[in-house]
Amino acid sequence: MNSTMEDELQPQLVYALVFGFILVLGLPLNAVSLWILLRRHSLKSPSAVFMVNLAISDLLLVISLPMRVYFYATGTWPLGATACACITVLFYSNIRSSTIFITTICVDRLLAVVYPLRSRHLRTSSNAWKAAALVWLFVVVVSIPWSVKLTRFLRGNNESTCFAFIRRDPNRSSMAYFQFVLVFTMLVVNIVCTALVSWTLRTHLSDSARVSNK
């Protein structure tokens, strides 16, 4: 019995240490990044708009970590089902939004480097804000139904175990599958965009070198 409890506590302590490390580094770094972006950079460029939204998304993700650290360190949850569901949804929602904003930054770089003339009418700050608003709307629309179902599930079961009990949520498998598909799709887009940008830059640099030599 004691060995079983020790086996359950060890992964929880690892989670507490990992999330605590991310919290200690992520909170000040993302706050400073957001402050620099807002104070030093103009929000008139689409790149700056997407970077600000990425910093906000990462900051919201980090804000959801303190109670996770507390839970995994103590094994108890004192705040009830609604708070547990809200923090869980905040955590996963901002993983999605961060992933999407990283991809939008990559696509923006692709348009700027590979199609600089044809994308001038697309790469505007107003379009960037519209795209950011659509990302947040998508995240909210996906998150609200899951948060309602998760709250009902926790209230009908043992809410004091919070994140440990969420693993038994019947809706968790479908959300995990959706998360995997989303992240995999964004990864493919990022790889393709990065490859095209790198190829374009190498081509232009080699052409410039040949012109200089001539």
Side-chain angles (χ1 to χ4, degrees):
M1 183 70 177
N2 291 332
S3 61
T4 303
M5 291 180 64
E6 289 178 359
D7 292 339
E8 291 178 354
L9 286 174
Q10 286 178 355
Q12 288 191 352
L13 292 176
V14 172
Y15 286 140
L17 290 173
V18 171
F19 285 132
F21 180 74
I22 295 173
L23 175 63
V24 170
L25 284 181
L27 185 59
L29 290 177
N30 278 289
V32 170
S33 298
L34 183 60
W35 181 80
I36 291 174
L37 285 168
L38 292 175
R39 186 174 179 84
R40 300 291 180 87
H41 294 271
S42 172
L43 294 181
K44 295 180 180 179
S45 69
S47 299
V49 171
F50 292 135
M51 286 295 293
V52 165
N53 281 275
L54 176 61
I56 293 173
S57 178
D58 289 344
L59 195 58
L60 290 174
L61 176 64
V62 172
I63 289 173
S64 70
L65 295 181
M67 291 309 300
R68 279 183 171 266
V69 174
Y70 175 85
F71 171 78
Y72 288 122
T74 64
T76 59
W77 181 257
L79 299 181
T82 303
C84 177
C86 289
I87 291 175
T88 302
V89 171
L90 183 65
F91 178 79
Y92 286 104
S93 296
N94 285 287
I95 290 178
R96 298 183 195 114
S97 59
S98 294
T99 304
I100 297 173
F101 281 123
I102 290 172
T103 306
T104 57
I105 292 170
C106 203
V107 171
D108 179 67
R109 289 297 89 201
L110 171 71
L111 294 175
V113 174
V114 182
Y115 308 105
L117 297 180
R118 280 183 282 179
S119 65
R120 283 185 301 176
H121 67 288
L122 294 175
R123 296 187 65 252
T124 63
S125 59
S126 60
N127 285 339
W129 282 114
K130 291 175 184 177
L134 286 176
V135 171
W136 289 114
L137 180 62
F138 168 77
V139 171
V140 170
V141 168
V142 171
S143 300
I144 288 178
W146 185 42
S147 64
V148 173
K149 291 179 181 179
L150 188 57
T151 302
R152 290 175 180 172
F153 172 76
L154 289 170
R155 285 177 178 172
N157 295 278
N158 187 5
E159 64 185 42
S160 63
T161 56
C162 192
F163 303 122
F165 205 85
I166 285 173
R167 298 173 187 173
R168 306 178 195 176
D169 180 10
N171 298 304
R172 185 174 180 269
S173 58
S174 59
M175 291 303 299
Y177 177 76
F178 170 76
Q179 187 95 356
F180 172 78
V181 171
L182 177 65
V183 172
F184 180 77
T185 303
M186 298 295 103
L187 178 62
V188 170
V189 173
N190 276 274
I191 292 173
V192 171
C193 290
T194 302
L196 289 173
V197 169
S198 300
W199 178 80
T200 302
L201 290 175
R202 282 200 303 269
T203 303
H204 285 183
L205 287 174
S206 61
D207 290 342
S208 300
R210 283 197 293 268
V211 169
S212 298
N213 289 334
K214 291 179 181 179

